[in-house]
Amino acid sequence: MGLTLTEKILKAHLVDGEFVKGSEIGIRIDQTLTQDATGTMAYLEYEAMGVPRVKTEKSVAYIDHNTLQSGFENADDHRFIGSVCKKHGVYFSRPGNGICHQVHLERFGIPGKTLIGSDSHTPTGGGIGMIAIGAGGLDVAVAMGGGAYYITYPQIVKVNLTGKLSDWVSAKDVILEVLRRISVKGGVGKVMEYCGEGVKTLSVPERATITNMGAELGATTSIFPSDEVTKAFLKAQDRGDVWTELKADDDAVYDEVIDIDLGALVPQAACPHSPDNVKNMDEIGKLKIDQVCIGSCTNSSYVDMMKVAYILKGKTVDPSVSLAIAPGSKQVLNMLASNGALATMIDAGARILESACGPCIGMGQAPNSGGVSLRTFNRNFLGRSGTKDGQIYLVSPETAAASALTGYLTDPRTLGEMPKIEVPEQFKINDNMVVAPASVEEMDSVEVLRGPNIKPYPETAPLVESIACQVSLKVGDNITTDHIMPAGAKILPLRSNIPAISQHCFTVCDEDFPRRAKNMGKSIIVGGTNYGQGSSREHAALAPLYLGIKAVLVKSFARIHRANLINAGILPLTFVNEADYDKISQGDEIAIDNVRADIEAGKTQLTVKNKTTGSEIPVLCELTGRTKDIILAGGLLDYTREQLSK
Ligand code: MIC
Ligand code: SF4
C-alpha cells in the first residue's frame, strides 16, 4: 500500500509510538520558530530546562508581533529574546525583517523537514512540503532542547485540486472554500494534503496562503507536494540546493477526499465573526466599507503586493476608506521599493505599515465604532481588531484593493483584464537582519538581558488528590483563544508578565471573571464545542492556571489549546454526553473525588459530582502514558525537569 506525503515525512521522523490512527506519536523536530508574543515565555521555559545549546538543525526567533513599542515592555522582551538566542544557539530575526511565517518560508524552510513554531500559522511551511505545526511555547522549548514533539497520529484528508483559478480568483478563495465546506472545527485531528492536477497551477506563495489559513480549520497542519514549482521558488531565493522532490505515492490511501475544481471558484469573503462564515459577493450584497487592511502572514507575499499595486496604479483610495498595507517581509518591502510599486501604493493613498503582524493582532488600525473592515488576514474573531463592534470580513488582496477604490465590497472580476504577475526568477536576498548566535566557545560569556516586566513562569503543583470547587465561568461553543486571552495593543505588552495579563483573561466575555476566579481560589471552567480554537498562545492556559483553574470541562477541544492546558497542568475534560452541558451552571459547587488516584490507575472516565444540583456527570479524561505523567507532575515543565534529572 502506498503512502501519503504526510505519512512519508512523519515516518522518517518517528521517534516514539506507533502509526495507529488516533494514537499519540512523538516526532523528531528539525527546525523551530518562535515569535516575540509567545517567545519570551518560550525562552524562559527553555532556560528553566537547563539545556545549554539548542539541539535542532535550525531554530529562529522572530520579532514581528509586538512591534508597537508603546512602553518599555516590548523593547525589553525583544532585547531579552535577542540575548537569550545569542547565548543558546538560536538565529534572531530582528524587528523590521518581517512576519515569521513569510520570512521562514523565504529563507529557512526546507521540503521534507519538520518544523514546530509557537504560532498557530506555522503550517505556512506546508507550502513547500514541510510538516510544519503550530504548538505551545513550552512544546517548542522542549523541541529546542532535543525532545520529541507529540501529536495524535492524524487522519489524512486528500484535497484533490483540479482545473485552474479563473482570473481575479485567488488562493484565498480556495481556503475560504474549504472553510465554507468543513467549518472551523472540520480539520481537528486531521492533516489536509493537497494533491491533484490543480496543484501545479499554484505558485508557492499561493500554496502558502492555503496552508497558512488551514490553521482556521483546526487542522494539525496542511501540506503541498514539493515539485518543480517549489524548486523554482527556492532557486529564486538562492536556496535551490535544499530542494527535493516529494509527493504521495499514486496508490496512497486517504481517510477522506475533498474535491475542488479551482476553475469553479469565485471571490468570497468570511463574514463576521468567524473564518468559516463564508459567502460569495452576491450573497453579501451591497456593503459599504470603512477600512481595508492588506498584509498578514496569509497574504503579504511579493506577488500579492504586486497585484495590489497594479490595482491601485494611478487611482485614489475612496475618501471614506482608510487603506493600510503591511508587506510581509523586508525582502518584499525592499523589492516593492526598488521596482516602484511602493510609490504606486503611496501615491494612491495607502498608509504603509512596517513589515509585521500589525492590525492582524490588533496592534493599531482598530476600525471606527461599528466599522466595516475588509482584511486579507486569517481571523475575524469578535474584538480581535481592537474594536468590539467592528465588522471584519476576510478577503483576498485582489478583493481588498478593488474595494478600497470604490468604498464598497467589490468583486475584483469587475476590474477588466488581469495582469500576469509571476513569482520573480530572482528575489532580492539580504539576510543582514538575521543575527547568528554566538559560537560554542563564546556562548558562555553572553549576558542575558532581562527587563522588569519579565516575570517568572507561574507556580505549578502536582495534581491534587481530589478537586472540590465552584464553576467560575460557563461559556458556549467555538470559544477562541482571543476570548480567553485577548491580544491587541493594550494587552500584548503584558505577555511576559502572567500576573498582569491574567487580569484580562476572558474579559471579552465577562469583565468580572479574573476577579471572581482569583477570589474563588480554585475553580473550573465549563464550555461547548471546539473550545480554545485559534492561536497557539499558551497564555490562554497560563492565565487560567494563575487564576486557580484546575480543570476545563467542555464538549470538545481545539488541538493546540488542549495540549497547552495539559502542559500547564490543567485537566482537560470532555462530556461523555454532550447534553450534560445543561446540567452544570456557573456558580455550581462541583467535586471530582480521588481524581489523582483514578488518573494514576489509568481511568479515562471520571465523575463530576454537581453538589448544587445533586446530579452526577460522566466525563472523559483521555490521557495517554506521557500526557498522564505530565498532568500528575503538574505540567510539562515539571515533567521535563523530572525527566532530565533522571
Ligand atoms: C494569532 O494570529 O492569533 C497569533 C497572535 O499569531 C497567535 C500567537 C499569539 O497569540 O502570540 C497564533 O496564531 O498562535
Ligand atoms: Fe501575525 Fe496575524 Fe499571522 Fe498571527 S495571524 S502570525 S498575528 S500576521
Side-chain angles (χ1 to χ4, degrees):
M1 196 173 73
L3 294 179
T4 63
L5 174 54
T6 308
E7 287 166 324
K8 288 185 187 181
I9 302 177
L10 289 179
K11 276 213 153 130
H13 288 83
L14 188 72
V15 288
D16 197 5
E18 281 172 47
F19 266 37
V20 178
K21 297 272 168 193
S23 71
E24 204 186 35
I25 54 167
I27 53 171
R28 179 169 42 80
I29 295 302
D30 302 320
Q31 298 191 338
T32 63
L33 71 78
T34 56
Q35 41 89 338
D36 51 325
T38 53
T40 309
M41 215 27 97
Y43 293 105
L44 287 172
E45 290 154 354
Y46 178 82
E47 283 187 309
M49 284 171 1
V51 182
R53 202 168 175 90
V54 293
K55 299 196 169 143
T56 44
E57 290 173 16
K58 183 137 264 169
S59 287
V60 190
Y62 295 89
I63 305 294
D64 54 0
H65 279 62
N66 297 341
T67 54
L68 200 71
Q69 282 149 341
S70 46
F72 65 91
E73 293 89 347
N74 293 156
D76 282 3
D77 283 354
H78 300 170
R79 193 178 56 159
F80 165 71
I81 294 173
S83 60
V84 83
C85 286
K86 190 160 197 175
K87 191 171 186 74
H88 296 292
V90 178
Y91 287 78
F92 178 65
S93 171
R94 294 165 60 188
N97 198 40
I99 305 174
C100 54
H101 310 302
Q102 175 70 25
V103 179
H104 207 85
L105 189 80
E106 291 167 354
R107 307 301 308 142
F108 298 110
I110 299 178
K113 297 280 182 188
T114 52
L115 162 72
I116 66 167
S118 60
D119 192 281
S120 64
H121 291 104
T122 304
T124 312
I128 53 168
M130 303 186 85
I131 286 286
I133 308 178
L138 193 42
D139 282 315
V140 176
V142 169
M144 286 191 287
Y149 177 60
Y150 286 82
I151 52 168
T152 304
Y153 182 54
Q155 303 272 320
I156 303 169
V157 182
K158 176 180 191 172
V159 189
N160 188 33
L161 303 179
T162 53
K164 186 175 175 304
L165 289 173
S166 309
D167 282 358
W168 298 112
V169 182
S170 189
K172 183 64 156 276
D173 300 309
V174 179
I175 187 62
L176 288 175
E177 174 66 15
V178 183
L179 276 155
R180 192 181 65 75
R181 290 202 203 170
I182 72 170
S183 91
V184 287
K185 51 179 191 281
V188 178
K190 300 176 185 174
V191 171
M192 314 299 288
E193 189 169 312
Y194 289 81
C195 314
E197 278 302 294
V199 164
K200 64 174 184 297
T201 70
L202 297 172
S203 67
V204 164
E206 289 177 309
R207 296 174 185 186
T209 293
I210 295 170
T211 55
N212 171 285
M213 206 172 166
E216 274 50 70
L217 302 165
T220 304
T221 191
S222 303
I223 188 166
F224 273 82
S226 167
D227 57 8
E228 290 298 317
V229 175
T230 323
K231 186 180 183 179
F233 174 82
L234 290 169
K235 217 165 142 256
Q237 291 285 355
D238 279 357
R239 302 202 298 122
D241 56 322
V242 303
W243 179 78
T244 38
E245 187 180 19
L246 294 169
K247 58 179 182 188
D249 292 329
D250 292 338
D251 56 346
V253 180
Y254 291 86
D255 297 292
E256 241 175 88
V257 180
I258 296 177
D259 286 304
I260 296 185
D261 174 2
L262 295 174
L265 296 181
V266 294
Q268 325 198 55
C271 303
H273 296 285
S274 182
D276 62 357
N277 188 13
V278 176
K279 298 190 175 134
N280 65 35
M281 305 284 156
D282 292 342
E283 288 168 312
I284 299 170
K286 193 164 182 180
L287 180 70
K288 177 74 194 84
I289 61 168
D290 303 286
Q291 186 194 48
V292 173
C293 296
I294 299 176
S296 91
C297 55
T298 316
N299 276 122
S300 59
S301 67
Y302 172 78
V303 176
D304 281 340
M305 293 292 150
M306 289 304 291
K307 286 184 189 160
V308 169
Y310 173 87
I311 295 168
L312 297 179
K313 194 170 175 73
K315 313 251 171 53
T316 301
V317 173
D318 187 83
S320 66
V321 174
S322 166
L323 168 65
I325 302 180
S329 66
K330 167 174 169 272
Q331 180 182 77
V332 173
L333 182 56
N334 209 351
M335 287 174 71
L336 300 177
S338 305
N339 71 10
L342 187 62
T344 302
M345 292 171 171
I346 295 169
D347 205 35
R351 302 166 66 181
I352 306 299
L353 307 178
E354 70 177 314
S355 295
C357 300
C360 180
I361 192 55
M363 274 290 177
Q365 307 294 324
N368 54 277
S369 300
V372 175
S373 178
L374 300 189
R375 299 177 164 212
T376 65
F377 307 166
N378 47 38
R379 291 187 174 143
N380 58 348
F381 301 144
L382 183 75
R384 181 174 161 105
S385 67
T387 301
K388 203 162 175 190
D389 60 358
Q391 304 292 310
I392 313 301
Y393 291 75
L394 306 174
V395 297
S396 69
E398 294 89 330
T399 302
S403 307
L405 295 176
T406 59
Y408 289 87
L409 175 68
T410 300
D411 188 329
R413 289 173 299 174
T414 56
L415 291 171
E417 207 183 321
M418 195 182 76
K420 232 183 144 28
I421 297 171
E422 307 272 7
V423 173
E425 278 176 22
Q426 180 62 53
F427 287 97
K428 200 173 175 128
I429 316 287
N430 183 354
D431 291 329
N432 62 345
M433 293 293 276
V434 179
V435 183
S439 64
V440 176
E441 296 74 41
E442 288 167 353
M443 56 190 264
D444 288 343
S445 62
V446 177
E447 190 196 346
V448 176
L449 305 166
R450 289 162 223 277
N453 188 48
I454 300 177
K455 301 281 188 259
Y457 192 84
E459 262 178 49
T460 52
L463 181 66
V464 290
E465 299 304 330
S466 295
I467 295 177
C469 61
Q470 271 180 286
V471 176
S472 53
L473 185 71
K474 184 174 178 185
V475 288
D477 290 344
N478 287 322
I479 286 294
T480 73
T481 54
D482 280 289
H483 292 102
I484 306 172
M485 197 60 265
K490 290 196 199 96
I491 304 176
L492 269 182
L494 305 174
R495 279 290 178 94
S496 36
N497 184 341
I498 300 297
I501 204 169
S502 66
Q503 298 313 308
H504 300 273
C505 185
F506 265 120
T507 47
V508 176
C509 305
D510 181 341
E511 298 233 327
D512 198 37
F513 171 73
R515 194 198 52 82
R516 188 166 65 241
K518 199 74 191 153
N519 283 348
M520 285 177 176
K522 53 184 186 221
S523 62
I524 73 161
I525 293 171
V526 174
T529 55
N530 201 26
Y531 178 89
Q533 67 161 324
S535 85
S536 69
R537 63 189 73 144
E538 58 191 339
H539 303 76
L542 296 181
L545 168 69
Y546 178 81
L547 295 173
I549 303 303
K550 299 294 166 204
V552 177
L553 169 58
V554 298
K555 291 181 184 171
S556 67
F557 284 102
R559 179 185 67 86
I560 309 178
H561 185 62
R562 180 176 184 275
N564 284 341
L565 287 173
I566 295 172
N567 289 353
I570 297 176
L571 268 186
L573 305 175
T574 49
F575 291 102
V576 171
N577 309 307
E578 287 196 358
D580 286 346
Y581 171 84
D582 297 327
K583 291 193 184 155
I584 188 161
S585 306
Q586 195 164 304
D588 285 356
E589 293 279 353
I590 62 105
I592 315 174
D593 296 334
N594 303 319
V595 61
R596 185 175 179 96
D598 283 351
I599 289 177
E600 259 172 350
K603 270 200 185 177
T604 51
Q605 185 163 325
L606 310 174
T607 303
V608 173
K609 287 185 193 152
N610 188 334
K611 295 206 279 197
T612 306
T613 64
S615 64
E616 297 209 342
I617 301 170
V619 299
L620 289 176
C621 179
E622 289 169 301
L623 300 169
T624 59
R626 181 183 146 275
T627 46
K628 183 176 105 179
D629 292 343
I630 294 175
I631 282 287
L632 291 172
L636 182 59
L637 200 55
D638 302 86
Y639 169 82
T640 308
R641 279 206 208 101
E642 273 177 20
Q643 298 292 311
L644 289 173
S645 68
K646 284 182 194 158

